[in-house]
Amino acid sequence: MQAKTTKTAAAPAIQARHIGWWTLLKRDLYLSRHYYILMAPFMLIFFMFTVIPVGISLGLSFFHFNMLELPRFIGWQNYSRLFLNDDVFLIALKNTLLFAVITGPVSYIACFLFAWIINELSPKVRAVMTLVFYAPSISGNVFFIWLIIFSGDSYGYMNGFLMRLGIILEPVQWLSNEKYVLAIVIIVQLWLSLGTSFLAFIAGLQTIDRSLVEAGTVDGIKNRWQELWFITLPSMRPQLMFGAVMQITASFAVAEISIALAGFPSVNYAAHTVVTHLMDFGTIRFEMGYASAIATVLFALMLGTNVLTQKMLRKIGE
């Protein structure tokens, strides 16, 4: 009887608490209505061109759809075909993971180190050096210069240099030899990697409160490396996260450079990536269901890598 009475008495309190939460939410929405109104155009575009297409792609990955017939549900067949019957996809997946493992961390660390060094320079020199390092990423198809460097005839800079030194006797077909083409694409990708993340790191370094450095000196910070780990990096967590997302996306989405340097498809698929495989089935063969399965796998790889990176960045400064 007592338990029943207690339960009956607690019900209005729970209901009142629920009403209070709803009232508080409505009040917050009303007070912040100007912010939501300003965000509405971006959120609308984001949902229309990002969230909804990702959801449709995920759904289509379970269908056979060639853009001529109505979608036909086939369950997990696209995924089983992808991992069990598509040898080219496995090559593309291996190449993409190799790209991500090499270009992702190396370019991320290089972006931060260059930004850290340049930030110590005077303002005028800093502006010039920032432009020098950032220029390749904003120069459009500037990476085509590497076609001249690795040209397969004796007029190519690399062949001419090595032949003059006597290291090779005849020109090497750099971009037609599967032993070299993947390494060349990785080198070019690293050369282009000082982009938006580099600028974000410089901006983050500029906003660090110098009083924190002075307080750290009082608290026992003895050198620049300790200052970097305990003060600089924790103060830059938003910029570090933004840079990580950008570098992960760039390292997993390699396609244009591979196609420009190695052709499409590359010799023996030596520089084939998941994105070029997606382009093959999505824009050439129009197997949209299968292409959606490829896109879903790529999305899962990026999402998992981002989650892992977030966990690692949370440990900075500990």
Side-chain angles (χ1 to χ4, degrees):
M1 183 68 180
Q2 185 179 0
K4 185 176 181 181
T5 304
T6 304
K7 183 177 180 180
T8 305
I14 296 174
Q15 185 177 5
R17 183 169 41 186
H18 176 71
I19 295 174
W21 174 84
W22 176 245
T23 304
L24 184 64
L25 177 61
K26 289 195 297 184
R27 188 182 68 177
D28 180 67
L29 290 175
Y30 178 77
L31 293 176
S32 305
R33 63 188 182 279
H34 302 95
Y35 303 114
Y36 293 114
I37 292 172
L38 291 174
M39 290 173 58
F42 168 78
M43 294 304 298
L44 181 62
I45 294 174
F46 178 73
F47 271 91
M48 287 183 61
F49 295 101
T50 302
V51 177
I52 294 176
V54 168
I56 293 175
S57 177
L58 179 60
L60 275 180
S61 66
F62 297 99
F63 288 81
H64 170 75
F65 181 42
N66 58 9
M67 298 188 70
L68 297 176
E69 303 171 330
L70 290 175
R72 175 168 49 88
F73 182 76
I74 58 175
W76 295 94
Q77 289 185 24
N78 283 328
Y79 292 97
S80 62
R81 173 188 170 190
L82 198 61
F83 289 101
L84 300 179
N85 298 324
D86 193 344
D87 294 334
V88 177
F89 172 75
L90 296 180
I91 295 174
L93 182 62
K94 181 196 71 173
N95 291 339
T96 301
L97 292 177
L98 190 61
F99 269 113
V101 169
I102 295 177
T103 63
V106 172
S107 60
Y108 184 75
I109 295 172
C111 283
F112 180 81
L113 287 179
F114 284 125
W116 189 37
I117 294 171
I118 291 174
N119 186 63
E120 301 297 320
L121 303 175
S122 62
K124 291 184 179 179
V125 178
R126 184 194 309 142
V128 173
M129 294 304 296
T130 300
L131 178 61
V132 169
F133 280 93
Y134 185 61
S137 63
I138 60 173
S139 300
N141 296 330
V142 68
F143 57 82
F144 279 115
I145 191 175
W146 292 87
L147 289 174
I148 302 174
I149 295 175
F150 289 103
S151 177
D153 52 32
S154 58
Y155 296 100
Y157 292 161
M158 183 60 68
N159 279 331
F161 178 72
L162 294 178
M163 290 174 67
R164 177 167 295 184
L165 293 179
I167 298 176
I168 59 175
L169 299 178
E170 58 183 15
V172 176
Q173 301 296 319
W174 300 102
L175 299 176
S176 301
N177 192 322
E178 58 184 299
K179 294 191 301 182
Y180 307 115
V181 63
L182 184 61
I184 293 173
V185 176
I186 290 175
I187 291 172
V188 177
Q189 177 66 24
L190 287 173
W191 180 66
L192 292 171
S193 62
L194 293 180
T196 308
S197 302
F198 173 68
L199 291 183
F201 292 156
I202 288 183
L205 289 167
Q206 290 291 307
T207 59
I208 294 177
D209 188 358
R210 301 308 301 177
S211 63
L212 294 176
V213 179
E214 297 173 0
T217 304
V218 175
D219 290 339
I221 298 295
K222 299 178 180 179
N223 52 55
R224 294 301 301 275
W225 295 110
Q226 290 182 348
E227 176 189 323
L228 174 67
W229 182 254
F230 292 107
I231 297 176
T232 304
L233 293 179
S235 300
M236 290 180 56
R237 277 199 177 95
Q239 290 84 7
L240 292 175
M241 178 55 64
F242 174 78
V245 172
M246 296 301 295
Q247 294 303 122
I248 289 171
T249 303
S251 61
F252 275 103
V254 174
E256 184 181 5
I257 298 174
S258 174
I259 294 173
L261 297 180
F264 184 63
S266 55
V267 55
N268 290 334
Y269 301 101
H272 204 57
T273 65
V274 173
V275 176
T276 56
H277 202 58
L278 172 62
M279 294 169 59
D280 183 14
F281 282 91
T283 63
I284 297 177
R285 309 188 194 194
F286 294 104
E287 296 186 28
M288 303 306 295
Y290 193 64
S292 296
I294 298 172
T296 302
V297 172
L298 181 62
F299 176 75
L301 285 173
M302 289 185 176
L303 186 62
T305 307
N306 273 304
V307 171
L308 180 62
T309 304
Q310 288 182 20
K311 291 182 178 179
M312 294 175 62
L313 289 177
R314 290 193 190 102
K315 297 181 179 179
I316 289 177
E318 295 180 357

